[in-house]
Amino acid sequence: MRRFFEAVVKPLLDMVAPARIVEIGAAEGANSALVARWCEERQARLDVIDTAPRFDPMAFEREHHAAKVHVGPSLEILPCILPPDVALLDGDHNWYTVYHELKALAAAAAVHGKPFPVCVFHDTGWPYGRRDLYYDPSAIPESHRRPWRRGPIVPNYPGIVEYGLNAHLCHAEQEGGPHNGVLTAIEDFISEDPVSFHLVHLPVLFGLSVLIPRATLGRVPGLKRFMDDLELNPCWRALLEIAETERCHGMAATHRLLPLSLP
C-alpha cells in the first residue's frame, strides 16, 4: 500500500484527520512507518496488526512512539482495541477474513457510538480481488474455505497454471464466483446496507479501493470532491485495466526465468 501513500492515503488522512488508525497487514513495515510518522505529526495513534511482521515490533514502537504493534490474527485483535477512524486493510487476502474484518469494524464502531471508519484496501484487483489467498488455510473455517492448492496464477486464466505469480502460495483453485476474493467481500458487506457507503476502485498496482460512509462524505470538507476525482471514466478504466493486465503478464514472464514473489 505504500505506493499509494502520497497520492491517495495521505490526502485522505489529511482530510479525515483521524485520531486513531488501524493497519492490518504490515509486512516489512514500510507503509506502517509512513503512517506512524503522519500520526506523530498529528498526535494520532496507530495500531498495527500482523500475524508475522517482518520487523522487530519492539524496535518499531521505540522508533515510532505513536504506534502499537499487535502480533496475531486481525479477527482476534480487532475486538480488543479501540475502534479506528481510518482502517488500512492489506492483510489476509480472502473473502472470509476481509468480510469479517469489516463486520468487526462495524461492531466496534456501534459499541463505541462512532461512525464506521474510512477504509482503504489493497489487492482488490487481480489477482486477489476475485480469488482467495490463504496464507494459512487451517485458519479459515472449512465452510468458508474454497478448494485450494499451491501453484502459480496469471491474468485471464481462472485456474492454477504452469507458470505465473506466487507459485508458493495457497490459492483458490478457481477465480470468481461467490465468496471468493477481497473485492467480493467488500461488495457483499456493502450489499447489506447499500445506501450507506460509497466505494471507489482503482485497477492499478494490484488494485486499491476506498470505502467511505456517505455520512462522512457529507461531514468532511473536500472529501466528496476528492473521491469524485478518484473515480475513473469508462475509457480510462478500460485502458488502466489493459495496462495492469499487461504489467502482470510481464511479471509472470519474468518469474518464469527468475522465480520471485509479489512485492
Side-chain angles (χ1 to χ4, degrees):
M1 193 178 289
R2 63 179 174 79
R3 297 170 182 169
F4 296 95
F5 184 79
E6 289 296 331
V8 179
V9 176
K10 184 178 182 295
L12 275 173
L13 297 180
D14 290 342
M15 281 182 279
V16 176
R20 300 197 71 92
I21 302 171
V22 65
E23 180 190 41
I24 300 173
E28 293 84 3
N31 188 70
S32 308
L34 294 172
V35 179
R37 285 194 286 271
W38 186 94
C39 289
E40 289 155 10
E41 294 171 358
R42 302 298 187 96
Q43 291 75 56
R45 296 294 302 171
L46 170 65
D47 288 297
V48 178
I49 302 173
D50 199 298
T51 55
R54 298 198 285 271
F55 57 87
D56 183 337
M58 295 181 65
F60 187 90
E61 291 176 0
R62 286 194 298 270
E63 183 176 355
H64 302 287
H65 58 82
K68 173 67 177 174
V69 180
H70 308 264
V71 179
S74 60
L75 296 180
E76 294 180 7
I77 292 170
L78 281 173
C80 302
I81 62 175
L82 290 172
D85 306 295
V86 170
L88 310 175
L89 296 95
D90 192 11
D92 203 6
H93 303 315
N94 58 73
W95 184 93
Y96 176 84
T97 302
V98 174
Y99 176 82
H100 287 90
E101 285 171 344
L102 288 168
K103 298 292 280 187
L105 289 168
V111 166
H112 289 266
K114 296 187 62 173
F116 185 84
V118 171
C119 293
V120 184
F121 308 81
H122 191 218
D123 287 289
T124 55
W126 189 89
Y128 301 124
R130 305 297 184 187
R131 185 199 294 266
D132 275 3
L133 160 67
Y134 307 122
Y135 289 117
D136 178 8
S138 67
I140 308 300
E142 186 176 358
S143 60
H144 292 281
R145 190 172 61 232
R146 302 180 69 86
W148 63 272
R149 62 187 175 96
R150 294 184 190 274
I153 51 178
V154 292
N156 301 328
Y157 290 85
I160 306 297
V161 296
E162 180 181 351
Y163 76 92
L165 301 182
N166 287 356
H168 62 296
L169 296 178
C170 303
H171 296 117
E173 290 185 345
Q174 292 293 317
E175 183 178 20
H179 293 189
N180 198 8
V182 175
L183 187 56
T184 305
I186 300 166
E187 292 171 347
D188 288 348
F189 175 78
I190 294 172
S191 71
E192 297 169 6
D193 188 8
V195 301
S196 294
F197 295 100
H198 181 64
L199 178 68
V200 171
H201 175 63
L202 302 175
V204 293
L205 297 172
F206 307 117
L208 189 85
S209 295
V210 182
L211 177 66
I212 297 187
R214 294 191 185 276
T216 303
L217 280 180
R219 186 180 72 250
V220 176
L223 187 56
K224 185 178 185 306
R225 179 173 180 178
F226 178 77
M227 291 291 285
D228 289 343
D229 288 343
L230 283 182
E231 288 278 11
L232 299 169
N233 67 47
C235 292
W236 273 113
R237 179 171 297 280
L239 287 170
L240 284 176
E241 287 173 351
I242 291 169
E244 177 71 357
T245 297
E246 292 296 323
R247 187 184 73 88
C248 292
H249 273 294
M251 289 183 67
T254 301
H255 289 202
R256 188 177 192 181
L257 301 174
L258 179 64
L260 300 168
S261 61
L262 282 177

